């Protein structure tokens, strides 16, 4: 078995699980990751539904354990972003900035990307204060942070950041779509405030090194300042790197057993770590059978 047989795009829970399971069959995949190991899980405040951790575990601690397990089976991810995935003459060509790799089999475990947004323009000078995940600002202290959203992610982000900062959640509608237990926890934290029926209409640079927000609650306009603004308004599959030919032949390639989708990238509303891990393991088992490697 040559390592060029299988590549995995994305080292989140799905990609990591696929890599570990492939290694059990003696197949060493190339695990390609554009950022860091762990994917979206790095943002989770407290994971309470992943079996084996009866008191829950923070996303970052769980990611550390995943990283440790990858190291134990000697899988070192290549930190390269897949720019394009081509399929030519029965071979996948995986293009990164460094090189183009040929592979027989590809596992796409690239997760999701933030949903597009058009309510207001984000000026260039505040772009470094705008985030779509909390992971990059988990060390923030004494900051004013505004989160746009009303789902699990918005409330989970708020709980995570409220330990050391003042957090405001803005919901453009009036219904909350978060798990009731996250909502109850957020309601019990004095450093979290919540405004329903509130939209941001304009964002600009604030002279005191922050962001000036113009908001509208029903008919009333008001202004606020923030150090950071976080979007938690939903996510969609990250498949930007598919070439036209791969897109057109997608189903046939999946049916043929040379292309696999694992984890959040295919799970629509069922985006959970345990499901992503199970998907990754299942992809590896199917690959094993396809390559006729001894696997039980
Ligand atoms: C705030 C929050 C709280 C959560 N809490 C829980 C919880 O309590 N319990 C639970 O089970 N789940 C929770 N989740 C969900 C969980 O994090 C996801 O279901 C899980 O991370 C999905 O794993 P994945 O591997 O499919 O995708 P991801 O974790 O999104 O990983 C995809 C990886 O692919 C990489 N990638 C993407 N494109 C490319 C490319 N072109 N080239 C190379 N690499 C690429 C990304 O950088 C990323 O590392 C939470 C999520 C969030 C945001």
């Amino acid at each position: 078995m040559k390592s060029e047989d299988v590549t995995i795009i994305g080292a989140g829970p799905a990609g990591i699980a696929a890599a570990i399971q492939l290694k059990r069959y003696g197949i060493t995949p190339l695990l390609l990751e554009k950022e860091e190991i762990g994917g979206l899980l790095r943002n989770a405040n407290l994971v309470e539904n992943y079996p084996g951790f009866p008191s829950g575990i923070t996303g970052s601690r769980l990611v550390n354990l995943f990283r440790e397990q990858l190291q134990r089976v000697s899988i070192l991810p290549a930190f390269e972003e897949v720019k394009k995935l081509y399929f030519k003459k029965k071979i996948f060509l995986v293009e990164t900035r460094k090189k183009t790799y040929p592979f027989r089999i590809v596992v796409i475990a690239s997760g999701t990307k933030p949903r597009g947004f058009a309510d207001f323009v984000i000026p260039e000078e505040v772009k470094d204060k705008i985030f779509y995940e909390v992971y990059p600002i988990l060390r923030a202290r004494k900051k004013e942070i505004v989160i746009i959203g009303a789902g699990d992610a918005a409330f989970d982000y708020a709980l995570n950041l409220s330990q050391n900062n003042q957090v405001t959640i803005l919901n453009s509608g009036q219904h909350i779509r978060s798990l009731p237990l996250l909502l109850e926890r957020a309601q019990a934290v004095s450093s979290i405030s919540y405004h329903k029926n509130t939209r941001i209409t304009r964002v600009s640079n604030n002279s005191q090194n922050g962001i000036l927000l113009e908001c509208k609650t029903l008919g009333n306009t008001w202004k606020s300042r923030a150090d950071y603004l976080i979007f938690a308004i939903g996510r969609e599959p990250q498949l930007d790197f598919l070439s036209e030919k791969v897109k057109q032949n997608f189903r046939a390639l999946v049916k043929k057993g040379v292309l696999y989708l694992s984890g959040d990238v295919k799970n629509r509303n069922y985006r959970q770590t345990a499901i992503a891990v199970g998907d990754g393991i299942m992809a590896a088992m199917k690959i094993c059978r396809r390559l006729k490697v001894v696997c039980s």
Side-chain angles (χ1 to χ4, degrees):
M1 183 62 48
K2 289 188 263 101
S3 63
E4 306 89 59
D5 279 332
V6 186
T7 188
I8 300 168
I9 303 174
I16 291 172
I20 292 170
Q21 188 72 12
L22 283 170
K23 201 66 204 268
R24 286 171 71 81
Y25 306 137
I27 302 167
T28 303
L30 177 67
L31 181 57
L32 289 163
E33 170 54 52
K34 71 173 175 167
E35 288 173 10
E36 284 177 44
I37 287 174
L40 217 51
L41 185 59
R42 294 172 296 164
N43 298 282
N45 182 39
L46 188 63
V47 179
E48 293 171 290
N49 60 349
Y50 194 80
F53 301 95
S55 315
I57 181 166
T58 63
S60 56
R61 282 190 56 217
L62 189 52
V63 167
N64 281 340
L65 293 172
F66 285 0
R67 183 183 289 113
E68 212 178 298
Q69 199 162 347
L70 268 184
Q71 281 165 357
R72 214 181 146 84
V73 295
S74 305
I75 291 179
L76 299 172
F79 290 99
E80 293 172 48
E81 177 173 0
V82 174
K83 295 284 182 191
K84 214 74 186 173
L85 178 66
Y86 300 99
F87 188 69
K88 279 183 190 156
K89 296 183 185 162
K90 298 188 180 173
I91 292 287
F92 285 102
L93 296 175
V94 181
E95 184 186 288
T96 73
R97 204 158 272 162
K98 270 194 192 164
K99 64 185 270 192
T100 299
Y101 302 89
F103 287 99
R104 282 170 63 195
I105 293 177
V106 173
V107 178
I108 298 178
S110 49
T112 51
K113 62 178 180 179
R115 201 165 274 156
F117 168 82
D119 274 15
F120 53 85
V121 177
I122 299 171
E124 198 57 44
E125 56 276 20
V126 301
K127 279 198 172 148
D128 61 338
K129 299 177 186 86
I130 311 278
F131 297 89
Y132 300 88
E133 296 181 38
V134 283
Y135 175 70
I137 52 167
L138 279 182
R139 294 207 176 133
R141 298 282 179 277
K142 297 184 179 165
K143 302 288 184 192
E144 300 277 344
I145 300 172
V146 171
I147 299 173
I148 306 177
D152 288 349
F155 284 85
D156 200 275
Y157 290 167
L159 286 165
N160 215 334
L161 293 167
S162 63
Q163 291 157 29
N164 300 301
N165 306 283
Q166 284 293 328
V167 181
T168 304
I169 302 175
L170 302 182
N171 177 2
S172 61
Q174 60 175 351
H175 299 295
I176 291 175
R177 295 181 308 278
S178 158
L179 274 177
L181 74 89
L182 292 180
L183 176 61
E184 276 164 32
R185 285 175 193 168
Q187 280 169 336
V189 178
S190 60
S191 53
I192 299 178
S193 60
Y194 168 76
H195 299 266
K196 64 180 176 181
N197 296 317
T198 301
R199 280 181 184 281
I200 294 179
T201 50
R202 189 160 179 262
V203 165
S204 56
N205 200 15
N206 179 291
S207 52
Q208 295 150 347
N209 195 24
I211 315 169
L212 189 64
L213 306 171
E214 283 180 30
C215 307
K216 208 171 210 173
T217 305
L218 299 174
N220 300 322
T221 303
W222 50 283
K223 286 186 182 174
S224 177
R225 184 202 163 272
D227 292 292
Y228 302 125
L229 177 62
I230 305 178
F231 285 87
I233 56 169
R235 303 184 67 87
E236 56 194 26
Q238 175 54 280
L239 291 166
D240 293 351
F241 49 83
L242 298 186
S243 65
E244 276 312 309
K245 187 167 176 196
V246 172
K247 274 187 210 163
Q248 282 161 14
N249 296 289
F250 203 86
R251 280 189 182 184
L253 293 168
V254 170
K255 207 170 161 199
K256 224 173 145 197
V258 291
L259 184 62
Y260 296 82
L261 244 68
S262 292
D264 280 12
V265 70
K266 74 163 183 54
N267 287 336
R268 297 168 191 240
N269 292 332
Y270 302 97
R271 302 200 301 259
Q272 295 292 314
T273 306
I275 301 176
V277 165
D279 277 349
I281 290 182
M282 187 149 68
M285 293 182 80
K286 288 182 177 171
I287 291 168
C288 170
R289 279 171 198 210
R290 175 132 211 315
L291 294 176
K292 299 193 173 59
V293 177
V294 180
C295 52
S296 54

